[in-house]
Amino acid sequence: MSDKPNELYVPAGTTADALHAMAIGPERAGWTYSSLRIVELGPGGTHDLAAGDSEWIVLPLSGGCTVRTSGEVFQLRGRTDVFASVTDFAYVPRDAGAQIASGAGGRFALAGAKCERRLPARYGPAPEVPVERRGSGSCARQVRNFASADAFACDRLIAVEVITPGGNWSSYPPHKHDEHRPGEETELEEIYYFEIDGPQGFGYQRVFPSREGGADVLAEVRSGDAVLVPNGWHGPSVAQPGHDMYYLNVMAGPGRTREWRIRFHPDHAETTGVYR
């Protein structure tokens, strides 16, 4: 895994290609499982996805689309933007092909994870997405658990959305999930993808070492940026006052059981109450 700061912070556009506004795969990240692609479609646009050895979730960031895969057709109503509401989504199994088509155009996240099992293609309705109010005071935020380990069945992929109000901290206290400790911590690679409410908005993301030579970065993030977390303590995620911050977390790891277990930094043990 590559832990160089300039490789952990991925500014908007730096991994774009002919098909994607952002393309982060295991090869780019220097790890094994987690992927994220951002697709931008104009009115009437289409995108063909070859799932390969990964499972994928098609998640509208803005606009709606139709997803055709494995003999199924899913109409995703989507949303105007990530701050407006939760959204419906579609699951594309490994070894499948999918076509994403948008009549009005939009932006779509493709969250992926290399996996072994081929699960059925499915639709995730927006009303069934569990929404959690986490933390309090200046650490309050909203977590949309659309593909958390206990909300939606995948083989390895775990994905959630977080809305942090302007001026607040989230992903706090610092925590990690880079070791296998049964019942206490799971090993998960993680991608943070950010959008900020307002054209001049920004935030900050901190990742610091949990081991000698481990991940270490402090990044000023703006809409379309990403931060990779191959290991290390991560948090806080800080939103500029007056500008709400959105991030999409994409996670996957080698564990035999798909679960999200974290360990808090011992120096911040007295602040773990704000996490819940």
Side-chain angles (χ1 to χ4, degrees), residues 90-114:
Y91 176 87
V92 178
R94 62 163 291 163
D95 301 318
Q99 184 186 71
I100 303 164
S102 181
R107 300 177 65 254
F108 308 93
L110 310 180
K114 285 190 176 181

Side-chain angles (χ1 to χ4, degrees), residues 27 79 81 88 105:
E27 299 79 9
R79 53 191 167 184
D81 60 54
D88 50 359

Side-chain angles (χ1 to χ4, degrees), residues 12-276:
T14 56
T15 63
D17 58 29
L19 299 176
H20 310 98
M22 172 174 282
I24 299 172
E27 299 79 9
R28 164 63 179 80
W31 56 36
T32 305
Y33 298 99
S34 299
S35 295
L36 176 66
R37 302 173 186 172
I38 305 296
V39 174
E40 297 179 346
L41 297 179
T46 63
H47 176 80
D48 292 325
L49 168 66
D53 59 1
S54 296
E55 58 187 345
W56 297 88
I57 283 180
V58 180
L59 181 78
L61 300 174
S62 64
C65 65
T66 300
V67 179
R68 292 178 169 84
T69 182
S70 305
E72 303 279 358
V73 179
F74 304 122
Q75 301 286 347
L76 304 188
R77 182 177 179 179
R79 53 191 167 184
T80 55
D81 60 54
V82 295
F83 299 100
S85 66
V86 298
T87 182
D88 50 359
F89 59 93
Y91 176 87
V92 178
R94 62 163 291 163
D95 301 318
Q99 184 186 71
I100 303 164
S102 181
R107 300 177 65 254
F108 308 93
L110 310 180
K114 285 190 176 181
C115 65
E116 290 73 43
R117 292 188 299 151
R118 190 176 193 274
L119 303 181
R122 278 161 293 138
Y123 173 70
E128 295 182 13
V129 173
V131 177
E132 175 186 358
R133 302 288 179 176
R134 184 177 292 171
S136 60
S138 62
C139 289
R141 62 273 202 191
Q142 180 193 85
V143 184
R144 302 166 179 170
N145 293 299
F146 70 96
S148 63
D150 55 357
F152 188 82
C154 299
D155 187 24
R156 292 194 179 274
L157 178 64
I158 297 173
V160 303
E161 299 179 305
V162 178
I163 302 291
T164 305
N168 279 19
W169 286 20
S170 58
S171 281
Y172 185 81
H175 57 282
K176 75 181 188 77
H177 42 70
D178 58 13
E179 296 179 88
H180 175 62
R181 293 171 173 249
E184 182 180 0
E185 183 179 354
T186 49
E187 183 180 352
L188 296 167
E189 310 158 350
E190 185 165 19
I191 302 169
Y192 276 69
Y193 168 78
F194 296 89
E195 295 199 3
I196 312 296
D197 188 22
Q200 305 303 319
F202 62 88
Y204 290 94
Q205 177 66 44
R206 182 71 170 113
V207 183
F208 58 99
S210 60
R211 61 188 72 168
E212 186 175 353
D216 192 354
V217 63
L218 172 60
E220 181 177 296
V221 294
R222 298 177 184 272
S223 290
D225 292 353
V227 171
L228 310 180
V229 187
N231 56 64
W233 305 102
H234 42 289
S237 304
V238 182
Q240 177 190 10
H243 297 267
D244 293 351
M245 179 170 69
Y246 163 94
Y247 53 84
L248 168 64
N249 290 142
V250 180
M251 294 169 276
R256 296 181 62 181
T257 302
R258 176 177 170 255
E259 57 184 350
W260 180 74
R261 293 187 179 274
I262 61 174
R263 189 151 61 102
F264 292 111
H265 194 290
D267 291 349
H268 300 269
E270 75 282 1
T271 63
T272 56
V274 305
Y275 202 89
R276 296 300 176 189

